[in-house]
C-alpha cells in the first residue's frame, strides 16, 4: 500500500454478477492503483448494498443494472463498465449512463460528500 501517497480517487470496475461491482481500487496522486479493496455484500429487505474497504469507506446501493453511491472517502470516481448491459450510475448529485465497454468519471465539486439523510 502506498500509505505515503495521497488518495485522489477510486476506480470502480463493473460486471454482471455478484452485486454489479467487481472491484474497487484507490488511485493515488502518482497515478498508481491500490490493491482491490475488500468487498462486502449486504442483502437488505428492499435494497442490497455493496461495501468496499476494511471500514466500508465506499458504499453503493445496488439496483438492477444501476448503482447509487451513498458514502465515499474520495471526491473522484471513475467507472469501467465490463458488463454486457447499460448501467446507470448516480453519485455526487449527478447521473451517468454507461453502455457496455464504456467508462466515465464523476467528480464531487464540494469538499465532502454526504448522504442525503446527514445534516
Amino acid at each position: 500500500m502506498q500509505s505515503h501517497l495521497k488518495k485522489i480517487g477510486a476506480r470502480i470496475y463493473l460486471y454482471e454478477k455478484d452485486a454489479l461491482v467487481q472491484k474497487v481500487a484507490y488511485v493515488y496522486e502518482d497515478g498508481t492503483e491500490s490493491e482491490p479493496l475488500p468487498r462486502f455484500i449486504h442483502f437488505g429487505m428492499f435494497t442490497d448494498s455493496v461495501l468496499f474497504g476494511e471500514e466500508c469507506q465506499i458504499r453503493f446501493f445496488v439496483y438492477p443494472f444501476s448503482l447509487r453511491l451513498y458514502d465515499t472517502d474520495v471526491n473522484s470516481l471513475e467507472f469501467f463498465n465490463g458488463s454486457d448491459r447499460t448501467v446507470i450510475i448516480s453519485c455526487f448529485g449527478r447521473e451517468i449512463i454507461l453502455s457496455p465497454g464504456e467508462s466515465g468519471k464523476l467528480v464531487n465539486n464540494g469538499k465532502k460528500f454526504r448522504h442525503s439523510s446527514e445534516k
Side-chain angles (χ1 to χ4, degrees), residues 30-58:
D30 68 352
T32 60
E33 189 175 290
S34 72
E35 292 294 317
L37 301 175
R39 182 177 81 148
F40 307 95
I41 298 173
H42 170 52
F43 296 104
M45 184 179 287
F46 299 105
T47 304
D48 296 339
S49 300
V50 62
L51 318 165
F52 291 90
E54 290 295 334
E55 297 176 13
C56 301
Q57 298 95 318
I58 299 176

PDB file of all heavy atoms in Angstrom, residues 30-58:
ATOM      1  N   ASP A  30       0.248   9.729  -7.761  1.00  0.00           N
ATOM      2  CA  ASP A  30       1.236   9.396  -8.799  1.00  0.00           C
ATOM      3  C   ASP A  30       0.622   8.556  -9.929  1.00  0.00           C
ATOM      4  O   ASP A  30       1.322   8.110 -10.824  1.00  0.00           O
ATOM      5  CB  ASP A  30       2.451   8.680  -8.200  1.00  0.00           C
ATOM      6  CG  ASP A  30       2.141   7.288  -7.662  1.00  0.00           C
ATOM      7  OD1 ASP A  30       0.948   6.908  -7.603  1.00  0.00           O
ATOM      8  OD2 ASP A  30       3.099   6.576  -7.299  1.00  0.00           O
ATOM      9  N   GLY A  31      -0.703   8.329  -9.858  1.00  0.00           N
ATOM     10  CA  GLY A  31      -1.398   7.578 -10.903  1.00  0.00           C
ATOM     11  C   GLY A  31      -1.470   6.085 -10.668  1.00  0.00           C
ATOM     12  O   GLY A  31      -2.121   5.371 -11.436  1.00  0.00           O
ATOM     13  N   THR A  32      -0.807   5.589  -9.634  1.00  0.00           N
ATOM     14  CA  THR A  32      -0.858   4.158  -9.351  1.00  0.00           C
ATOM     15  C   THR A  32      -2.198   3.790  -8.711  1.00  0.00           C
ATOM     16  O   THR A  32      -2.915   4.637  -8.186  1.00  0.00           O
ATOM     17  CB  THR A  32       0.298   3.713  -8.427  1.00  0.00           C
ATOM     18  OG1 THR A  32       0.212   4.432  -7.195  1.00  0.00           O
ATOM     19  CG2 THR A  32       1.644   3.950  -9.084  1.00  0.00           C
ATOM     20  N   GLU A  33      -2.493   2.514  -8.759  1.00  0.00           N
ATOM     21  CA  GLU A  33      -3.749   1.984  -8.240  1.00  0.00           C
ATOM     22  C   GLU A  33      -3.450   1.026  -7.088  1.00  0.00           C
ATOM     23  O   GLU A  33      -2.511   0.243  -7.159  1.00  0.00           O
ATOM     24  CB  GLU A  33      -4.461   1.239  -9.377  1.00  0.00           C
ATOM     25  CG  GLU A  33      -5.856   0.812  -9.090  1.00  0.00           C
ATOM     26  CD  GLU A  33      -6.522   0.203 -10.308  1.00  0.00           C
ATOM     27  OE1 GLU A  33      -6.817   0.943 -11.272  1.00  0.00           O
ATOM     28  OE2 GLU A  33      -6.738  -1.022 -10.291  1.00  0.00           O
ATOM     29  N   SER A  34      -4.266   1.089  -6.038  1.00  0.00           N
ATOM     30  CA  SER A  34      -4.094   0.198  -4.895  1.00  0.00           C
ATOM     31  C   SER A  34      -4.527  -1.219  -5.246  1.00  0.00           C
ATOM     32  O   SER A  34      -5.121  -1.461  -6.300  1.00  0.00           O
ATOM     33  CB  SER A  34      -4.939   0.694  -3.715  1.00  0.00           C
ATOM     34  OG  SER A  34      -6.325   0.460  -3.956  1.00  0.00           O
ATOM     35  N   GLU A  35      -4.257  -2.127  -4.348  1.00  0.00           N
ATOM     36  CA  GLU A  35      -4.842  -3.458  -4.449  1.00  0.00           C
ATOM     37  C   GLU A  35      -6.355  -3.297  -4.330  1.00  0.00           C
ATOM     38  O   GLU A  35      -6.824  -2.326  -3.719  1.00  0.00           O
ATOM     39  CB  GLU A  35      -4.322  -4.353  -3.320  1.00  0.00           C
ATOM     40  CG  GLU A  35      -2.858  -4.695  -3.427  1.00  0.00           C
ATOM     41  CD  GLU A  35      -2.564  -5.559  -4.644  1.00  0.00           C
ATOM     42  OE1 GLU A  35      -3.345  -6.501  -4.916  1.00  0.00           O
ATOM     43  OE2 GLU A  35      -1.561  -5.298  -5.321  1.00  0.00           O
ATOM     44  N   PRO A  36      -7.148  -4.210  -4.882  1.00  0.00           N
ATOM     45  CA  PRO A  36      -8.605  -4.097  -4.723  1.00  0.00           C
ATOM     46  C   PRO A  36      -9.000  -4.073  -3.245  1.00  0.00           C
ATOM     47  O   PRO A  36      -8.425  -4.787  -2.425  1.00  0.00           O
ATOM     48  CB  PRO A  36      -9.141  -5.361  -5.402  1.00  0.00           C
ATOM     49  CG  PRO A  36      -8.072  -5.750  -6.370  1.00  0.00           C
ATOM     50  CD  PRO A  36      -6.765  -5.355  -5.714  1.00  0.00           C
ATOM     51  N   LEU A  37      -9.947  -3.199  -2.926  1.00  0.00           N
ATOM     52  CA  LEU A  37     -10.441  -3.101  -1.557  1.00  0.00           C
ATOM     53  C   LEU A  37     -11.303  -4.315  -1.234  1.00  0.00           C
ATOM     54  O   LEU A  37     -11.966  -4.861  -2.120  1.00  0.00           O
ATOM     55  CB  LEU A  37     -11.277  -1.831  -1.382  1.00  0.00           C
ATOM     56  CG  LEU A  37     -10.570  -0.511  -1.670  1.00  0.00           C
ATOM     57  CD1 LEU A  37     -11.557   0.646  -1.568  1.00  0.00           C
ATOM     58  CD2 LEU A  37      -9.414  -0.309  -0.723  1.00  0.00           C
ATOM     59  N   PRO A  38     -11.303  -4.753   0.027  1.00  0.00           N
ATOM     60  CA  PRO A  38     -12.194  -5.856   0.403  1.00  0.00           C
ATOM     61  C   PRO A  38     -13.647  -5.488   0.082  1.00  0.00           C
ATOM     62  O   PRO A  38     -14.049  -4.332   0.233  1.00  0.00           O
ATOM     63  CB  PRO A  38     -11.994  -5.980   1.915  1.00  0.00           C
ATOM     64  CG  PRO A  38     -10.694  -5.326   2.195  1.00  0.00           C
ATOM     65  CD  PRO A  38     -10.517  -4.259   1.159  1.00  0.00           C
ATOM     66  N   ARG A  39     -14.406  -6.474  -0.368  1.00  0.00           N
ATOM     67  CA  ARG A  39     -15.797  -6.248  -0.788  1.00  0.00           C
ATOM     68  C   ARG A  39     -16.737  -7.020   0.124  1.00  0.00           C
ATOM     69  O   ARG A  39     -16.503  -8.186   0.433  1.00  0.00           O
ATOM     70  CB  ARG A  39     -15.982  -6.707  -2.229  1.00  0.00           C
ATOM     71  CG  ARG A  39     -17.378  -6.467  -2.766  1.00  0.00           C
ATOM     72  CD  ARG A  39     -17.448  -6.878  -4.199  1.00  0.00           C
ATOM     73  NE  ARG A  39     -17.630  -8.318  -4.270  1.00  0.00           N
ATOM     74  CZ  ARG A  39     -18.299  -8.925  -5.224  1.00  0.00           C
ATOM     75  NH1 ARG A  39     -18.788  -8.251  -6.229  1.00  0.00           N
ATOM     76  NH2 ARG A  39     -18.431 -10.222  -5.214  1.00  0.00           N
ATOM     77  N   PHE A  40     -17.793  -6.333   0.538  1.00  0.00           N
ATOM     78  CA  PHE A  40     -18.829  -6.946   1.366  1.00  0.00           C
ATOM     79  C   PHE A  40     -20.176  -6.676   0.718  1.00  0.00           C
ATOM     80  O   PHE A  40     -20.439  -5.550   0.293  1.00  0.00           O
ATOM     81  CB  PHE A  40     -18.823  -6.361   2.782  1.00  0.00           C
ATOM     82  CG  PHE A  40     -17.477  -6.406   3.438  1.00  0.00           C
ATOM     83  CD1 PHE A  40     -16.622  -5.309   3.386  1.00  0.00           C
ATOM     84  CD2 PHE A  40     -17.055  -7.547   4.093  1.00  0.00           C
ATOM     85  CE1 PHE A  40     -15.372  -5.345   3.984  1.00  0.00           C
ATOM     86  CE2 PHE A  40     -15.799  -7.600   4.698  1.00  0.00           C
ATOM     87  CZ  PHE A  40     -14.966  -6.497   4.636  1.00  0.00           C
ATOM     88  N   ILE A  41     -21.008  -7.684   0.640  1.00  0.00           N
ATOM     89  CA  ILE A  41     -22.349  -7.516   0.071  1.00  0.00           C
ATOM     90  C   ILE A  41     -23.353  -7.643   1.206  1.00  0.00           C
ATOM     91  O   ILE A  41     -23.291  -8.574   2.001  1.00  0.00           O
ATOM     92  CB  ILE A  41     -22.629  -8.564  -1.021  1.00  0.00           C
ATOM     93  CG1 ILE A  41     -21.636  -8.391  -2.171  1.00  0.00           C
ATOM     94  CG2 ILE A  41     -24.068  -8.448  -1.518  1.00  0.00           C
ATOM     95  CD1 ILE A  41     -21.711  -9.468  -3.229  1.00  0.00           C
ATOM     96  N   HIS A  42     -24.243  -6.671   1.285  1.00  0.00           N
ATOM     97  CA  HIS A  42     -25.307  -6.695   2.299  1.00  0.00           C
ATOM     98  C   HIS A  42     -26.632  -6.852   1.572  1.00  0.00           C
ATOM     99  O   HIS A  42     -27.014  -6.002   0.767  1.00  0.00           O
ATOM    100  CB  HIS A  42     -25.296  -5.410   3.115  1.00  0.00           C
ATOM    101  CG  HIS A  42     -26.488  -5.255   4.004  1.00  0.00           C
ATOM    102  ND1 HIS A  42     -26.895  -6.224   4.893  1.00  0.00           N
ATOM    103  CD2 HIS A  42     -27.359  -4.251   4.141  1.00  0.00           C
ATOM    104  CE1 HIS A  42     -27.969  -5.809   5.527  1.00  0.00           C
ATOM    105  NE2 HIS A  42     -28.273  -4.614   5.081  1.00  0.00           N
ATOM    106  N   PHE A  43     -27.313  -7.961   1.844  1.00  0.00           N
ATOM    107  CA  PHE A  43     -28.615  -8.211   1.234  1.00  0.00           C
ATOM    108  C   PHE A  43     -29.689  -7.640   2.148  1.00  0.00           C
ATOM    109  O   PHE A  43     -29.923  -8.147   3.242  1.00  0.00           O
ATOM    110  CB  PHE A  43     -28.833  -9.712   1.012  1.00  0.00           C
ATOM    111  CG  PHE A  43     -27.846 -10.287   0.039  1.00  0.00           C
ATOM    112  CD1 PHE A  43     -26.774 -11.052   0.483  1.00  0.00           C
ATOM    113  CD2 PHE A  43     -27.968 -10.042  -1.316  1.00  0.00           C
ATOM    114  CE1 PHE A  43     -25.854 -11.569  -0.404  1.00  0.00           C
ATOM    115  CE2 PHE A  43     -27.050 -10.561  -2.219  1.00  0.00           C
ATOM    116  CZ  PHE A  43     -25.988 -11.325  -1.763  1.00  0.00           C
ATOM    117  N   GLY A  44     -30.305  -6.563   1.724  1.00  0.00           N
ATOM    118  CA  GLY A  44     -31.333  -5.903   2.514  1.00  0.00           C
ATOM    119  C   GLY A  44     -32.719  -6.409   2.166  1.00  0.00           C
ATOM    120  O   GLY A  44     -32.908  -7.128   1.180  1.00  0.00           O
ATOM    121  N   MET A  45     -33.683  -6.011   2.974  1.00  0.00           N
ATOM    122  CA  MET A  45     -35.058  -6.430   2.730  1.00  0.00           C
ATOM    123  C   MET A  45     -35.593  -5.832   1.424  1.00  0.00           C
ATOM    124  O   MET A  45     -36.277  -6.495   0.671  1.00  0.00           O
ATOM    125  CB  MET A  45     -35.953  -6.013   3.892  1.00  0.00           C
ATOM    126  CG  MET A  45     -37.388  -6.509   3.748  1.00  0.00           C
ATOM    127  SD  MET A  45     -38.434  -6.041   5.122  1.00  0.00           S
ATOM    128  CE  MET A  45     -37.819  -7.149   6.372  1.00  0.00           C
ATOM    129  N   PHE A  46     -35.227  -4.572   1.150  1.00  0.00           N
ATOM    130  CA  PHE A  46     -35.733  -3.901  -0.046  1.00  0.00           C
ATOM    131  C   PHE A  46     -34.626  -3.531  -1.031  1.00  0.00           C
ATOM    132  O   PHE A  46     -34.848  -3.493  -2.225  1.00  0.00           O
ATOM    133  CB  PHE A  46     -36.511  -2.639   0.339  1.00  0.00           C
ATOM    134  CG  PHE A  46     -37.698  -2.930   1.199  1.00  0.00           C
ATOM    135  CD1 PHE A  46     -37.667  -2.641   2.550  1.00  0.00           C
ATOM    136  CD2 PHE A  46     -38.828  -3.527   0.671  1.00  0.00           C
ATOM    137  CE1 PHE A  46     -38.751  -2.919   3.353  1.00  0.00           C
ATOM    138  CE2 PHE A  46     -39.916  -3.817   1.464  1.00  0.00           C
ATOM    139  CZ  PHE A  46     -39.888  -3.510   2.820  1.00  0.00           C
ATOM    140  N   THR A  47     -33.449  -3.229  -0.514  1.00  0.00           N
ATOM    141  CA  THR A  47     -32.339  -2.795  -1.350  1.00  0.00           C
ATOM    142  C   THR A  47     -31.049  -3.463  -0.879  1.00  0.00           C
ATOM    143  O   THR A  47     -30.773  -3.483   0.314  1.00  0.00           O
ATOM    144  CB  THR A  47     -32.162  -1.256  -1.273  1.00  0.00           C
ATOM    145  OG1 THR A  47     -33.380  -0.627  -1.621  1.00  0.00           O
ATOM    146  CG2 THR A  47     -31.075  -0.788  -2.210  1.00  0.00           C
ATOM    147  N   ASP A  48     -30.271  -3.968  -1.822  1.00  0.00           N
ATOM    148  CA  ASP A  48     -28.972  -4.546  -1.497  1.00  0.00           C
ATOM    149  C   ASP A  48     -27.909  -3.452  -1.546  1.00  0.00           C
ATOM    150  O   ASP A  48     -28.064  -2.443  -2.232  1.00  0.00           O
ATOM    151  CB  ASP A  48     -28.610  -5.649  -2.480  1.00  0.00           C
ATOM    152  CG  ASP A  48     -29.563  -6.832  -2.402  1.00  0.00           C
ATOM    153  OD1 ASP A  48     -30.239  -6.988  -1.367  1.00  0.00           O
ATOM    154  OD2 ASP A  48     -29.625  -7.594  -3.381  1.00  0.00           O
ATOM    155  N   SER A  49     -26.817  -3.678  -0.826  1.00  0.00           N
ATOM    156  CA  SER A  49     -25.694  -2.746  -0.820  1.00  0.00           C
ATOM    157  C   SER A  49     -24.413  -3.518  -1.079  1.00  0.00           C
ATOM    158  O   SER A  49     -24.303  -4.685  -0.741  1.00  0.00           O
ATOM    159  CB  SER A  49     -25.564  -2.061   0.546  1.00  0.00           C
ATOM    160  OG  SER A  49     -26.712  -1.341   0.858  1.00  0.00           O
ATOM    161  N   VAL A  50     -23.453  -2.836  -1.676  1.00  0.00           N
ATOM    162  CA  VAL A  50     -22.112  -3.397  -1.821  1.00  0.00           C
ATOM    163  C   VAL A  50     -21.162  -2.382  -1.198  1.00  0.00           C
ATOM    164  O   VAL A  50     -21.250  -1.178  -1.456  1.00  0.00           O
ATOM    165  CB  VAL A  50     -21.777  -3.751  -3.293  1.00  0.00           C
ATOM    166  CG1 VAL A  50     -21.792  -2.549  -4.199  1.00  0.00           C
ATOM    167  CG2 VAL A  50     -20.457  -4.477  -3.398  1.00  0.00           C
ATOM    168  N   LEU A  51     -20.300  -2.877  -0.294  1.00  0.00           N
ATOM    169  CA  LEU A  51     -19.445  -2.032   0.525  1.00  0.00           C
ATOM    170  C   LEU A  51     -17.987  -2.397   0.273  1.00  0.00           C
ATOM    171  O   LEU A  51     -17.658  -3.581   0.148  1.00  0.00           O
ATOM    172  CB  LEU A  51     -19.774  -2.247   2.007  1.00  0.00           C
ATOM    173  CG  LEU A  51     -21.258  -2.344   2.356  1.00  0.00           C
ATOM    174  CD1 LEU A  51     -21.456  -2.914   3.740  1.00  0.00           C
ATOM    175  CD2 LEU A  51     -21.926  -1.002   2.222  1.00  0.00           C
ATOM    176  N   PHE A  52     -17.115  -1.388   0.229  1.00  0.00           N
ATOM    177  CA  PHE A  52     -15.706  -1.627  -0.072  1.00  0.00           C
ATOM    178  C   PHE A  52     -14.805  -0.984   0.964  1.00  0.00           C
ATOM    179  O   PHE A  52     -15.054   0.129   1.409  1.00  0.00           O
ATOM    180  CB  PHE A  52     -15.354  -1.080  -1.459  1.00  0.00           C
ATOM    181  CG  PHE A  52     -16.002  -1.862  -2.551  1.00  0.00           C
ATOM    182  CD1 PHE A  52     -17.253  -1.514  -3.014  1.00  0.00           C
ATOM    183  CD2 PHE A  52     -15.378  -2.964  -3.095  1.00  0.00           C
ATOM    184  CE1 PHE A  52     -17.867  -2.243  -4.005  1.00  0.00           C
ATOM    185  CE2 PHE A  52     -15.982  -3.705  -4.084  1.00  0.00           C
ATOM    186  CZ  PHE A  52     -17.237  -3.343  -4.539  1.00  0.00           C
ATOM    187  N   GLY A  53     -13.742  -1.697   1.333  1.00  0.00           N
ATOM    188  CA  GLY A  53     -12.757  -1.224   2.284  1.00  0.00           C
ATOM    189  C   GLY A  53     -12.938  -1.887   3.635  1.00  0.00           C
ATOM    190  O   GLY A  53     -14.028  -2.350   3.962  1.00  0.00           O
ATOM    191  N   GLU A  54     -11.863  -1.943   4.394  1.00  0.00           N
ATOM    192  CA  GLU A  54     -11.909  -2.562   5.722  1.00  0.00           C
ATOM    193  C   GLU A  54     -12.941  -1.886   6.615  1.00  0.00           C
ATOM    194  O   GLU A  54     -13.550  -2.511   7.460  1.00  0.00           O
ATOM    195  CB  GLU A  54     -10.532  -2.510   6.389  1.00  0.00           C
ATOM    196  CG  GLU A  54      -9.501  -3.407   5.767  1.00  0.00           C
ATOM    197  CD  GLU A  54      -9.824  -4.882   5.901  1.00  0.00           C
ATOM    198  OE1 GLU A  54     -10.533  -5.286   6.836  1.00  0.00           O
ATOM    199  OE2 GLU A  54      -9.340  -5.646   5.039  1.00  0.00           O
ATOM    200  N   GLU A  55     -13.114  -0.584   6.444  1.00  0.00           N
ATOM    201  CA  GLU A  55     -14.089   0.164   7.230  1.00  0.00           C
ATOM    202  C   GLU A  55     -15.271   0.608   6.368  1.00  0.00           C
ATOM    203  O   GLU A  55     -15.959   1.575   6.695  1.00  0.00           O
ATOM    204  CB  GLU A  55     -13.414   1.355   7.894  1.00  0.00           C
ATOM    205  CG  GLU A  55     -12.327   0.930   8.878  1.00  0.00           C
ATOM    206  CD  GLU A  55     -11.572   2.099   9.479  1.00  0.00           C
ATOM    207  OE1 GLU A  55     -12.022   3.252   9.341  1.00  0.00           O
ATOM    208  OE2 GLU A  55     -10.531   1.852  10.083  1.00  0.00           O
ATOM    209  N   CYS A  56     -15.480  -0.075   5.256  1.00  0.00           N
ATOM    210  CA  CYS A  56     -16.598   0.208   4.333  1.00  0.00           C
ATOM    211  C   CYS A  56     -16.607   1.671   3.901  1.00  0.00           C
ATOM    212  O   CYS A  56     -17.635   2.349   3.945  1.00  0.00           O
ATOM    213  CB  CYS A  56     -17.926  -0.203   4.944  1.00  0.00           C
ATOM    214  SG  CYS A  56     -18.003  -1.947   5.357  1.00  0.00           S
ATOM    215  N   GLN A  57     -15.461   2.156   3.430  1.00  0.00           N
ATOM    216  CA  GLN A  57     -15.315   3.562   3.058  1.00  0.00           C
ATOM    217  C   GLN A  57     -16.088   3.948   1.801  1.00  0.00           C
ATOM    218  O   GLN A  57     -16.450   5.106   1.630  1.00  0.00           O
ATOM    219  CB  GLN A  57     -13.839   3.908   2.837  1.00  0.00           C
ATOM    220  CG  GLN A  57     -12.960   3.751   4.053  1.00  0.00           C
ATOM    221  CD  GLN A  57     -12.270   2.402   4.108  1.00  0.00           C
ATOM    222  OE1 GLN A  57     -12.845   1.381   3.827  1.00  0.00           O
ATOM    223  NE2 GLN A  57     -11.004   2.410   4.498  1.00  0.00           N
ATOM    224  N   ILE A  58     -16.315   3.012   0.886  1.00  0.00           N
ATOM    225  CA  ILE A  58     -17.041   3.312  -0.349  1.00  0.00           C
ATOM    226  C   ILE A  58     -18.249   2.382  -0.402  1.00  0.00           C
ATOM    227  O   ILE A  58     -18.099   1.163  -0.360  1.00  0.00           O
ATOM    228  CB  ILE A  58     -16.145   3.133  -1.589  1.00  0.00           C
ATOM    229  CG1 ILE A  58     -14.942   4.100  -1.499  1.00  0.00           C
ATOM    230  CG2 ILE A  58     -16.940   3.378  -2.867  1.00  0.00           C
ATOM    231  CD1 ILE A  58     -13.935   3.961  -2.607  1.00  0.00           C
TER     232      ILE A  58
END
